[in-house]
Amino acid sequence: MQYYGRLEERLDYNIETWDSLNSLRVRFRIRSIYQFNAYRKGRYYRAMLSWEGFYTVEGTAGQINEKSSLTLGLERSYSYNQRGRVEITWQRQDLDLWNKEYSDIYLSLSYYPAWGDAYRNRVKEE
């Protein structure tokens, strides 16, 4: 289990009218990760499930006050610390995930290459 909390300030500026919207938000995420199929050293699969909520403590009208998202992901490691991840996120404009329909669905594909020492060590060995 992983927990993540943050206090963040959002500043939105319109460069045509020089109007600004400012808000102070609290952000909290809880994530559960299950690692499996780790038969070879450094290679694994991870299944992830997370919920993240945003709440505006103080701010101007026009920005989203509350938001929550539910994410399901699968990550696979490759050789030399490289990994890829697929995530699907259901997002709402409300903190309540269970009683209403979701407003947005996102698909995220990520690749994390290995740079630096991991690559140099591989080149030296060959």
Side-chain angles (χ1 to χ4, degrees):
M1 296 291 282
Q2 292 179 343
Y3 303 94
Y4 173 79
R6 179 164 65 182
L7 184 65
E8 61 187 23
E9 180 150 10
R10 293 184 58 134
L11 306 169
D12 294 334
Y13 289 101
N14 184 337
I15 60 173
E16 293 177 4
T17 63
W18 295 105
D19 292 335
S20 67
L21 301 173
N22 304 329
S23 65
L24 182 65
R25 300 191 324 169
V26 174
R27 180 180 190 167
F28 180 74
R29 179 180 69 197
I30 183 169
R31 176 184 285 176
S32 177
I33 298 174
Y34 178 72
Q35 185 167 314
F36 58 95
N37 203 15
Y39 297 117
R40 295 170 60 181
K41 184 178 178 180
R43 296 196 184 181
Y44 57 83
Y45 286 94
R46 284 183 183 161
M48 296 171 279
L49 177 65
S50 67
W51 175 86
E52 186 169 17
F54 302 86
Y55 180 74
T56 301
V57 177
E58 183 176 329
T60 54
Q63 289 186 327
I64 298 169
N65 292 332
E66 296 178 351
K67 183 168 60 169
S68 63
S69 62
L70 185 65
T71 303
L72 180 63
L74 183 63
E75 179 176 285
R76 182 188 190 283
S77 70
Y78 302 99
S79 60
Y80 305 104
N81 296 326
Q82 299 178 51
R83 57 194 168 101
R85 182 184 296 172
V86 175
E87 291 180 332
I88 187 163
T89 301
W90 296 274
Q91 184 172 304
R92 292 197 26 76
Q93 300 305 324
D94 191 355
L95 287 176
D96 185 9
L97 285 173
W98 310 113
N99 293 331
K100 299 175 184 173
E101 296 180 18
Y102 293 96
S103 57
D104 298 315
I105 297 177
Y106 298 99
L107 177 65
S108 174
L109 303 173
S110 303
Y111 173 69
Y112 302 94
W115 301 102
D117 292 335
Y119 179 73
R120 280 194 287 275
N121 290 341
R122 180 177 175 217
V123 172
K124 287 177 185 177
E125 290 173 2
E126 292 178 354

